[in-house]
Amino acid sequence: MLRDRRGCRAVAGGKRDMKTARSHRCQPRRCPAPAPRPGSPGGSCSRRGGRPAGPGGSCSPGPASPARPRPGHPERAAKRPRCSRCAGSACPSRLPAPALPAVALPAASPPGTSLCLLRSEGPRPARGTSPAPGTGSSPPTASSAPAGPAHRSAAGGADWRSAAALGLGAAMAARPGAGAGAGAGPGPAPGLALALLLLLPPLPLLAGAGDARQEAAVRALARRLLGPRAAAVALSVEAALAAGGPDTYRLRSPPGAAVAVAVTGSSGVAAAAGLYRYLRDFCGCHLSWSGAQLRLPDPLPRLRTEIRASAPGRYRYYQNACTQSYSYAWWDWARWEREIDWMALSGINLAPAFAGQEAAWQRVYRSLGLNQSEIDGYFTGPAFLAWNRMGNLHGWAGPLPPAWHLKQLYLQYRIVERMRSLGMITVLPAFAGHVPQGVLRVFPHVNATRLGGWSHFDCTYSCTYLLDPEDPMFQVIGTLFLKELIKEFGTDHIYSADTFNEMTPLFSDPAYLSRVSNAVFRSMTGADPEALWLMQGWLFQHQPDFWQPAQVRALLHGVPLGRMIVLDLFAESKPVYQWTESFYGQPFIWCMLHNFGGNHGLFGTVEAINHGPFAARRFPNSTMVGTGLVPEGIEQNDMVYELMNELGWRQEPLDLPSWVTRYAERRYGAPNAAAASAWRLLLRSVYNCTGVCVNHNRSPLVRRPSLHMDTELWYNASDVYEAWRLLLSAGVELGSSPTFRYDLVDVTRQAAQQLVSNYYLSIRQAFQNHALPELLTAGGVLVYDLLPELDSLLSSHSLFLLGRWLESARAVATSDQEAEQYELNARNQVTLWGPSGNILDYANKQLGGLVLDYYGVRWSLFVSALVESLNSGSPFHQDQFNQAVFQVERGFVYNKKRYPAVPAGDTLEISRKLFLKYYPSTLRRSRAGPA
């Protein structure tokens, strides 16, 4: 219930002052549960045309009704298949009636409860795949992979079953003081965490259908990748290869066999990783976001000895919650298919599958009684859904058109089917406690509090309502949502939820924090008793003043030990496991965040990622269970991700200079001394940030101009200029390589970014010295030559085009109105990030079209304002300039200019022209020291 400052009185309509919500707390006044209605659990029901009177009811079948396909499910039969887990009444897969009936609230499994007890309810459907579109929870057929609404069968050896982690949870929870509601109890005793990890039950050695399905999937991947040459590679999946341990692959050349190499993996993912190991190390091939180099030798090389490799940890995780919006927002299935292929070849076996969840939420909200306008007012536009899902935003750039839900739903079917067919574990979203305001209208006595604003947004689009963890509706809504997802897509028993992402909790009391995490977990187990919670650990390092050890321990121990996996999200720079005693006993994944906002800019912390995971495994009582890649945006800095993926299968650090030399050769398909030297220079400089490093491009190029801009670098700028020269010299031999052309654009772009900083410093110094001629010279070169030349360079490559980003957004639309909305979403995200520049330039990109028409116009206005200030003798006022430049920024978002999605110009010629024009001056500046 919402109360005002004057007493425990409900505020009409659920509205009240935000400060009141944060400063005043009243004991909840519970409303009596309504009497059971016909068609609701606990009451009698009647069928009309074979359907229950209420969505939450269950009763004997009535007369059949004509087929009524749900939107987005044209092939759904008239009678929905009954849940295979139900033997009669109160089917848990049904949604409740709009008016809340009496509901038996789910409870967490008792600490120490074994899996066999959890499964004592009877046979469970096979775990394995998502249902086919529209089939709900229908049983598997001979022509389809095994499917079920609540259980996925072990598919070969890659089935990193949540049972393993649950076994750890049962053992840990058996300790006194552990488990749900344990609060800030003691952490594991010395040596206990490692011992408990060793108690993880071995992976089931299942063969047959699971292996065959994954084997077929990885063979299909090889055909997509290699075409007819895939016939020279034998691929197989044998779960027994792992012997119950981590993923394993084996490479060998059978004597006298027609195939050059036989690759066997304990899972589809392991076999794909083994295939890429062979292509990379023995065929000199390379695969990345920016392109592939797959010039195979003929014949394929044979191996002299057998090679066998096992991953050092159970999980190789991929994706950040923000990646869903910064990179995946406009993807179609063709792009997703390429990404999943890359994931499998990289050995990734754990990843979220978040598409289509808004369709499930819409069903749940409507079943609860919310109207469509309330739902539309809650969802954000597609480019901002990541922050709607984490409770940071609502309504901004929305609503979501009906066609969006339909297309995302079908995309999700294909994503989860392909990922699972390769042996990957899919992570589904779960309820974190945030609700639309409409819930307060339908249930006026609900106990909810409005959180504060997020990241410069006011309550127009922020200040989400958070349910009290002890309010009955927390479990009702959370369980309903997860049951709806499981019914549609099946489950692998791992779920993601982030309640306090960059938002301060209402109270710092450890008991409250423990209740919140326990409520989230119970809402998962209410739908899936085998649930395991995957949580991003970003909040702990983002707000360290709030998240002191007692608060961290309480939040983590609100969940039975072993039933949560924490992503140590920024471990390469700010590891949390070190000051939380390995997350106080909860398993964690050592993650490389690397990128913020999908910014362009050469960056890496190669020494940290080369040694960090191994140090984390050696940490006293370490509960580390894997490594992860969690960039906010992708399609940048390929080298860093290739390195991290390889480290996910290594037992010790790499020799980085030797590794990067081989990397350059594989990437371009031929050895070249100049290119190798360029990469070694980049490795020791721009890719080797040490200490606390944040890859959030703050170059003056991509920031709103002012007289107080940061130009500091963590590396020697001359190394980038020299690498630029070396790459250009290699252009004669390597110029036909697509990956070489991409790298030439990227390194030239980095050099130009440094040049912008140099000219900015000249502009600032000239203004401060009242030197108008010098100001005009430096400003003129920047605005009228350097930025147009940079824009021309970027426009010569398809992956650096603004038009590609905008046209991909428009392509998702089914009408002109949708196309305009999606384009506005796409433009706003990379510029203003909000209605009034709330997170201005956070997601900045260096794209052809954006540099000239957005950044260039801003710089022109800035230089003009400084010139006018000197001419008139009046001071420069930053506030006035900000107001004027905001009109330029907003104008770009709404100007509707169409940008080409096809590159124009020759990359090598444009880069050479820039080099000849600016390289001599860069040498003079760099000899004087970094900017």
Side-chain angles (χ1 to χ4, degrees):
M1 177 184 291
L2 295 179
R3 328 264 183 190
D4 63 16
R5 192 182 298 272
R6 293 162 292 185
C8 294
R9 179 168 52 83
V11 178
K15 299 179 180 178
R16 54 89 186 273
D17 180 75
M18 183 183 69
K19 293 183 178 178
T20 302
R22 296 176 64 88
S23 63
H24 187 71
R25 186 78 168 176
C26 298
Q27 293 298 318
R29 186 179 67 195
R30 306 294 186 197
C31 58
R37 302 185 305 116
S40 65
S44 61
C45 60
S46 61
R47 284 271 183 175
R48 296 194 303 274
R51 292 183 177 272
S58 179
C59 55
S60 303
S65 64
R68 288 179 55 192
R70 264 192 343 195
H73 300 269
E75 67 275 26
R76 191 180 295 276
K79 183 177 178 182
R80 179 189 290 274
R82 296 185 64 183
C83 174
S84 58
R85 295 178 60 188
C86 298
S89 63
C91 172
S93 68
R94 301 291 187 187
L95 291 175
L100 179 65
V103 178
L105 299 179
S109 306
T113 301
S114 67
L115 284 177
C116 58
L117 291 177
L118 289 173
R119 291 173 178 156
S120 63
E121 63 206 37
R124 298 284 298 276
R127 173 177 175 246
T129 65
S130 58
T135 60
S137 55
S138 57
T141 64
S143 61
S144 65
H151 200 124
R152 179 184 162 211
S153 67
D159 172 32
W160 297 111
R161 302 183 54 173
S162 60
L166 291 173
L168 173 63
M172 287 182 166
R175 296 188 303 108
L192 179 61
L194 178 59
L196 290 174
L197 283 172
L198 294 176
L199 291 175
L200 287 170
L203 297 177
L205 305 181
L206 300 182
D211 287 1
R213 182 188 184 216
Q214 294 185 51
E215 195 170 282
V218 76
R219 287 175 178 173
L221 185 160
R223 290 192 295 271
R224 287 191 297 273
L225 184 68
L226 303 176
R229 300 295 301 276
V233 179
L235 291 159
S236 60
V237 174
E238 296 179 11
L241 190 65
D247 260 338
T248 301
Y249 62 75
R250 181 183 64 213
L251 310 178
R252 62 189 182 92
S253 293
V259 297
V261 64
V263 180
T264 304
S266 57
S267 67
V269 165
L275 171 62
Y276 188 58
R277 167 80 179 274
Y278 173 74
L279 295 174
R280 182 191 70 208
D281 291 356
F282 298 96
C283 301
C285 294
H286 171 79
L287 184 70
S288 66
W289 290 314
S290 62
Q293 190 286 109
L294 295 170
R295 285 180 281 185
L296 296 172
D298 193 10
L300 290 180
R302 300 180 66 84
L303 304 180
R304 296 180 181 179
T305 59
E306 179 178 297
I307 295 173
R308 187 184 183 107
S310 296
R314 288 187 174 275
Y315 301 114
R316 279 89 54 209
Y317 178 81
Y318 171 56
Q319 295 184 28
N320 184 303
C322 300
T323 325
Q324 310 291 323
S325 292
Y326 285 136
S327 296
Y328 308 156
W330 318 116
W331 281 11
D332 57 11
W333 169 242
R335 182 62 187 87
W336 265 111
E337 183 175 53
R338 294 199 306 275
E339 191 73 3
I340 296 171
D341 285 352
W342 175 84
M343 290 162 61
L345 292 163
S346 301
I348 291 160
N349 66 349
L350 178 64
F354 285 174
Q357 63 178 282
E358 284 70 35
W361 271 121
Q362 180 164 265
R363 294 177 202 163
V364 171
Y365 291 149
R366 295 187 69 173
S367 74
L368 292 172
L370 275 71
N371 58 49
Q372 192 61 46
S373 64
E374 290 170 325
I375 298 171
D376 288 344
Y378 184 66
F379 292 142
T380 63
F384 304 95
L385 279 174
W387 301 276
N388 179 249
R389 294 164 179 173
M390 293 185 286
N392 303 123
L393 290 177
H394 57 80
W396 168 241
L400 293 175
W404 172 267
H405 296 302
L406 181 63
K407 297 182 78 170
Q408 291 295 301
L409 204 58
Y410 274 87
L411 190 60
Q412 173 78 341
Y413 286 129
R414 303 188 77 170
I415 291 169
V416 296
E417 191 282 330
R418 178 62 57 80
M419 289 173 64
R420 289 169 177 168
S421 74
L422 288 163
M424 297 179 194
I425 299 172
T426 58
V427 180
L428 294 180
F431 179 56
H434 313 113
V435 294
Q437 186 171 349
V439 168
L440 280 64
R441 177 190 61 81
V442 179
F443 304 104
H445 298 288
V446 73
N447 189 0
T449 309
R450 203 167 193 183
L451 298 172
W454 171 76
S455 200
H456 307 294
F457 280 84
D458 62 22
C459 292
T460 305
Y461 296 113
S462 189
C463 308
T464 301
Y465 289 96
L466 178 66
L467 286 178
D468 184 89
E470 295 180 344
D471 191 283
M473 285 302 297
F474 200 113
Q475 300 306 313
V476 171
I477 295 174
T479 302
L480 287 176
F481 172 65
L482 210 50
K483 285 181 178 179
E484 183 71 14
L485 275 188
I486 292 170
K487 182 172 60 178
E488 285 292 344
F489 306 120
T491 185
D492 295 334
H493 308 294
I494 301 185
Y495 306 98
S496 172
D498 295 288
T499 303
F500 299 118
N501 177 64
E502 298 184 355
M503 295 185 294
T504 304
L506 298 168
F507 308 102
S508 62
D509 177 21
Y512 167 76
L513 297 171
S514 186
R515 287 196 300 271
V516 171
S517 60
N518 182 248
V520 173
F521 180 68
R522 284 190 293 119
S523 73
M524 296 176 184
T525 57
D528 178 2
E530 298 179 33
L532 189 151
W533 180 2
L534 182 80
M535 185 186 78
Q536 294 188 135
W538 174 255
L539 70 170
F540 301 135
Q541 71 83 34
H542 182 259
Q543 294 178 305
D545 291 340
F546 178 89
W547 292 105
Q548 296 293 305
Q551 284 70 36
V552 175
R553 189 194 302 265
L555 190 76
L556 297 178
H557 282 190
V559 179
L561 290 180
R563 300 295 292 271
M564 170 186 277
I565 298 176
V566 184
L567 300 177
D568 199 348
L569 213 68
F570 201 12
E572 79 271 31
S573 287
K574 297 181 179 180
V576 173
Y577 77 89
Q578 294 177 345
W579 59 270
T580 58
E581 301 172 22
S582 202
F583 289 96
Y584 301 114
Q586 292 288 19
F588 76 95
I589 294 176
W590 192 100
C591 296
M592 178 191 75
L593 178 52
H594 182 262
N595 179 271
F596 290 84
N599 301 158
H600 289 120
L602 302 184
F603 176 83
T605 56
V606 291
E607 289 295 343
I609 66 176
N610 193 34
H611 295 279
F614 306 101
R617 289 192 186 98
R618 296 191 302 267
F619 189 76
N621 300 314
S622 176
T623 54
M624 178 180 166
V625 293
T627 55
L629 308 174
V630 290
E632 287 191 352
I634 64 169
E635 296 180 334
Q636 41 75 31
N637 290 293
D638 290 330
M639 183 271 280
V640 177
Y641 296 89
E642 176 92 348
L643 174 62
M644 189 65 198
N645 282 330
E646 188 167 341
L647 288 169
W649 287 85
R650 305 285 296 200
Q651 306 294 331
E652 58 186 6
L654 290 158
D655 179 339
L656 292 179
S658 298
W659 181 89
V660 84
T661 300
R662 296 191 300 272
Y663 171 83
E665 182 176 342
R666 296 193 305 265
R667 186 164 170 84
Y668 305 143
N672 184 279
S677 296
W679 273 104
R680 286 192 293 270
L681 277 173
L682 296 173
L683 178 76
R684 80 180 190 189
S685 58
V686 71
Y687 282 118
N688 194 27
C689 187
T690 57
V692 178
C693 301
V694 179
N695 179 24
H696 197 180
N697 196 336
R698 299 189 180 278
S699 165
L701 168 63
V702 293
R703 296 290 172 166
R704 180 185 280 175
S706 78
L707 292 173
H708 305 284
M709 305 186 81
D710 182 14
T711 61
E712 185 179 354
L713 300 176
W714 64 93
Y715 60 93
N716 191 335
S718 63
D719 285 342
V720 170
Y721 294 136
E722 179 62 10
W724 182 20
R725 185 189 69 80
L726 288 166
L727 282 181
L728 270 176
S729 70
V732 175
E733 294 183 19
L734 305 179
S736 61
S737 164
T739 45
F740 174 82
R741 286 179 173 264
Y742 175 91
D743 289 344
L744 183 60
V745 171
D746 210 16
V747 172
T748 307
R749 178 209 51 72
Q750 186 75 17
Q753 175 180 292
Q754 294 173 183
L755 286 166
V756 170
S757 294
N758 293 340
Y759 280 99
Y760 162 71
L761 291 174
S762 297
I763 290 169
R764 186 173 69 183
Q765 184 175 4
F767 177 76
Q768 292 171 344
N769 294 340
H770 299 276
L772 184 59
E774 288 82 355
L775 173 59
L776 290 170
T777 299
V781 171
L782 174 63
V783 171
Y784 298 114
D785 189 81
L786 179 56
L787 293 181
E789 290 281 20
L790 174 57
D791 193 83
S792 177
L793 171 79
L794 297 169
S795 298
S796 71
H797 198 286
S798 60
L799 297 182
F800 289 94
L801 292 175
L802 174 64
R804 173 175 171 264
W805 170 249
L806 300 182
E807 292 304 318
S808 65
R810 298 183 67 89
V812 179
T814 59
S815 68
D816 290 343
Q817 181 178 357
E818 286 181 19
E820 291 183 5
Q821 179 192 359
Y822 295 165
E823 182 174 349
L824 284 174
N825 269 249
R827 285 174 178 257
N828 184 274
Q829 187 201 89
V830 299
T831 54
L832 292 176
W833 216 121
S836 55
N838 306 67
I839 319 180
L840 181 68
D841 297 321
Y842 181 93
N844 64 77
K845 309 286 189 297
Q846 294 176 43
L847 301 171
L850 191 65
V851 167
L852 191 63
D853 289 354
Y854 182 72
Y855 303 130
V857 174
R858 289 202 305 198
W859 276 104
S860 178
L861 187 62
F862 180 69
V863 172
S864 297
L866 296 182
V867 170
E868 176 62 25
S869 175
L870 291 185
N871 280 331
S872 65
S874 58
F876 172 78
H877 294 287
Q878 185 69 45
D879 291 343
Q880 294 178 7
F881 172 76
N882 289 346
Q883 293 175 14
V885 79
F886 174 72
Q887 300 306 317
V888 171
E889 295 160 343
R890 191 174 185 277
F892 174 83
V893 173
Y894 289 94
N895 69 16
K896 297 185 180 181
K897 177 180 176 180
R898 301 294 288 271
Y899 289 88
V902 178
D906 183 86
T907 296
L908 270 72
E909 288 302 318
I910 298 170
S911 179
R912 187 174 294 111
K913 179 182 175 183
L914 267 166
F915 179 82
L916 294 174
K917 189 180 296 185
Y918 288 101
Y919 184 72
S921 65
T922 64
L923 285 181
R924 291 193 299 270
R925 290 177 182 272
S926 60
R927 288 193 186 108

